[in-house]
Amino acid sequence: METAQISKEAHTADAAKFLLFRLGEELFGVDVTALKEVDTLLERDLTFIPDSPQSLRGLMNLRGVIVPVLDTRILLGLGLYEDTAESRILVVDMDWRLVGFVVDEVTDLRAIQRDEVQSPPSNSEIQRQHGSYLTGIVNSEDGVVVLVDLAMMLPENPFIDQRSHARQTVDLEIRHRDLEGEEWHDGHLSTISKGGLRLESNQELPEGAWQEASLPLDRSHKGQDRIELQAEVRWARTASGLAGGRFSHQYGLAFASMTSEQESLLEQAYRLD
């Protein structure tokens, strides 16, 4: 995995070092003293949290520390973007916890002289768009660099709520089909919780579509060795290479209401406390 540790030996009396990154066509910079490290997004297995805010991409395990990973484009209202080999996670040390921010591309590590940093005019487009987390701008040969405080981008409650759904990472072949359909399709289950699952499939499923997922039970129950649950597609993106790269699409599904018997079977079969 491509992981870059960030050196804190970066500042002098006259200059500070910034990591530059892109979101769309805009170039941003963040003070490296706020960063813990930079990770390659596609090589990280993020755990999907059902019913979470759209800006929360999931949770990642960073050497035993659970880190929420946020979609910076969504936080800034820039819309969805397909992950690429250049996508990175900027892990920010906020003292109270580590938080990851997904960006389109990291472009440079640059020392910026303090006298280069300017404040944009109060009525400028940059000020209107980025004023709440803007720390300054720098004119460079690459264009205007918008210096930001990533911590100030956080919404009031960017993480999962306090329900603490038990979660399990699995590697399991399952089946799924449209509620109105008769044909079952192969799928791969990579994460499951009391609230939903993460599914990989070669079928194109639109957001909001309802699926029936057929999950194997660890032991037969009333003559049945599978449980079939209804779930709604909450998000969709290109698969990140799980299940040996056999599936092209990745989906986050949230379960519909279950009976008490179904809940009990799910918890027992998948060790969800």
Side-chain angles (χ1 to χ4, degrees), residues 129-200:
Q129 289 184 344
H130 308 299
S132 61
Y133 45 83
L134 178 68
T135 62
I137 61 172
V138 175
N139 292 310
S140 74
E141 59 185 21
D142 302 316
V144 176
V145 181
V146 181
L147 305 181
V148 296
D149 182 343
L150 291 175
M152 298 302 294
M153 291 183 183
L154 294 178
E156 290 184 6
N157 182 24
F159 313 122
I160 57 175
D161 59 23
Q162 299 304 310
R163 291 172 297 174
S164 298
H165 286 316
R167 291 174 296 279
Q168 183 182 357
T169 299
V170 297
D171 183 8
L172 185 66
E173 303 307 310
I174 66 170
R175 298 179 295 173
H176 69 98
R177 67 179 178 185
D178 186 88
L179 288 186
E180 306 297 326
E182 297 182 357
E183 182 180 358
W184 287 95
H185 304 289
D186 293 331
H188 173 255
L189 174 63
S190 57
T191 307
I192 189 168
S193 77
K194 294 179 181 178
L197 56 85
R198 185 166 65 185
L199 166 74
E200 291 194 340

Side-chain angles (χ1 to χ4, degrees), residues 77-103:
L78 298 178
L80 297 175
Y81 178 78
E82 184 173 315
D83 300 333
T84 72
E86 304 303 322
S87 302
R88 295 291 184 269
I89 303 172
L90 308 186
V91 181
V92 178
D93 187 350
M94 297 188 178
D95 294 330
W96 53 282
R97 81 170 305 160
L98 298 178
V99 179
F101 292 82
V102 175
V103 301

Side-chain angles (χ1 to χ4, degrees), residues 1 3-6 36-39 44 60-67 91 98:
M1 177 180 298
T3 298
Q5 300 289 331
I6 302 298
K36 181 74 172 177
E37 62 184 62
V38 178
D39 280 8
R44 277 292 182 183
M60 75 174 182
N61 187 324
L62 184 63
R63 296 183 293 278
V65 178
I66 302 303
V67 179
V91 181
L98 298 178

